[in-house]
C-alpha cells in the first residue's frame, strides 16, 4: 500500500458570496484566486474515499495552510499519521513537533526540470489526490452553490456546506478498487 500512514487527503474549495458593504469584511472575503468574494472550506477524505472531515467556512482571503491550522483537523490526528495534500499546503511549520507529516508533490527546484523519481512521486500522489477533487465535484453537483450566496445566509451557510458534503455519502463509493 502506498503512503500507509496517510489518514486524510485534504483540499480546500471556494463558494462565491455577495460583496459585503463593509470594506474590512470585503477585503477578508476577497479571493485573489477566484477574483471575487468567497467563503472557503476544507474537506478531508480517508485514502479509501470516505468523507472524514468538513471544516467550517472561512473568508476567501485565508490561505489553505491557515485554514488547516485553525479548523481543528490537526488535533484529530495522532503522531505517526500523515496528511496528503496539494503542493500549496506547506504545512511543515504547522505540523512541527506533532509527529504528523505531510505528503505533497515535489516542488520544481532550481535544476529546471523534475528528476525521474520526482515525476513518479508526483504521479503517484496525483492518483491518490484525485479522489478529493472528485469529492468536491460531487458536492458542487448538487448546485447549491451555483449562484452567489447572499450575506443574509451567513448564519446558515456552514450548515448547508456540511449537509452538501454529507449528501455525497449517498452517491456510492469514490474509490471502487480500494484494497
Amino acid at each position: 500500500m502506498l503512503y500507509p500512514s496517510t489518514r486524510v487527503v485534504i483540499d480546500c474549495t471556494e463558494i462565491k458570496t455577495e460583496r459585503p458593504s463593509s470594506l474590512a469584511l470585503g477585503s477578508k472575503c476577497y479571493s485573489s484566486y477566484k477574483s471575487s468574494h468567497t467563503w472557503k472550506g476544507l474537506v478531508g477524505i480517508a485514502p479509501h474515499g470516505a468523507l472524514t472531515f468538513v471544516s467550517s467556512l472561512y473568508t476567501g482571503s485565508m490561505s489553505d495552510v491557515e485554514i488547516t491550522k485553525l479548523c481543528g483537523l490537526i488535533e484529530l490526528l495522532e503522531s505517526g499519521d500523515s496528511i496528503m495534500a496539494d503542493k500549496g499546503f506547506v504545512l511543515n511549520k504547522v505540523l512541527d513537533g506533532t509527529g504528523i507529516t505531510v505528503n505533497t508533490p515535489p516542488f520544481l527546484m532550481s535544476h529546471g526540470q523534475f528528476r525521474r523519481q520526482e515525476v513518479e512521486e508526483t504521479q503517484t500522489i496525483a492518483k491518490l489526490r484525485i479522489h478529493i477533487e472528485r469529492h468536491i465535484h460531487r458536492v458542487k453537483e448538487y448546485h447549491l452553490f451555483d449562484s452567489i450566496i447572499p450575506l443574509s445566509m451567513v448564519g446558515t451557510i456552514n450548515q448547508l456546506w456540511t449537509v452538501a458534503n454529507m449528501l455525497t455519502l449517498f452517491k456510492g463509493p469514490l474509490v471502487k478498487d480500494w484494497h
Side-chain angles (χ1 to χ4, degrees):
M1 182 174 165
L2 299 169
Y3 302 97
S5 66
T6 298
R7 296 295 165 255
V8 65
V9 182
I10 62 171
D11 204 0
C12 285
T13 190
E14 296 183 70
I15 300 165
K16 290 184 179 180
T17 189
E18 69 182 337
R19 182 183 188 163
S21 57
S22 158
L23 292 177
L25 183 57
S27 67
K28 287 181 181 179
C29 286
Y30 187 78
S31 165
S32 54
Y33 179 70
K34 293 283 185 180
S35 298
S36 62
H37 295 83
T38 65
W39 301 115
K40 191 173 188 178
L42 180 136
V43 292
I45 61 170
H48 58 77
L51 177 66
T52 58
F53 187 82
V54 180
S55 80
S56 295
L57 293 170
Y58 294 85
T59 55
S61 67
M62 290 184 72
S63 72
D64 296 351
V65 172
E66 194 173 3
I67 291 172
T68 306
K69 181 180 175 181
L70 295 174
C71 72
L73 172 69
I74 295 167
E75 290 77 17
L76 297 173
L77 300 173
E78 300 173 351
S79 181
D81 288 346
S82 67
I83 298 169
M84 184 168 285
D86 197 7
K87 58 184 160 189
F89 286 84
V90 183
L91 298 171
N92 301 10
K93 288 181 183 174
V94 173
L95 299 175
D96 193 31
T98 64
I100 301 166
T101 57
V102 63
N103 297 310
T104 58
F107 283 92
L108 186 60
M109 296 305 202
S110 59
H111 49 80
Q113 66 185 58
F114 285 123
R115 295 185 195 97
R116 177 182 205 86
Q117 178 186 355
E118 293 169 325
V119 169
E120 290 170 359
E121 185 179 1
T122 298
Q123 290 172 340
T124 302
I125 291 174
K127 285 179 188 175
L128 298 171
R129 276 200 71 261
I130 191 69
H131 301 300
I132 189 68
E133 303 290 346
R134 291 178 59 227
H135 169 79
I136 290 169
H137 179 74
R138 283 183 172 190
V139 169
K140 294 188 177 185
E141 280 179 338
Y142 289 110
H143 304 287
L144 298 170
F145 308 112
D146 285 357
S147 59
I148 294 173
I149 303 298
L151 289 173
S152 61
M153 287 190 65
V154 125
T156 57
I157 191 63
N158 273 308
Q159 291 89 338
L160 186 60
W161 163 246
T162 301
V163 168
N165 275 276
M166 300 295 253
L167 284 172
T168 65
L169 298 171
F170 294 101
K171 289 192 168 198
L174 270 175
V175 182
K176 291 184 174 44
D177 298 334
W178 189 76
H179 303 282

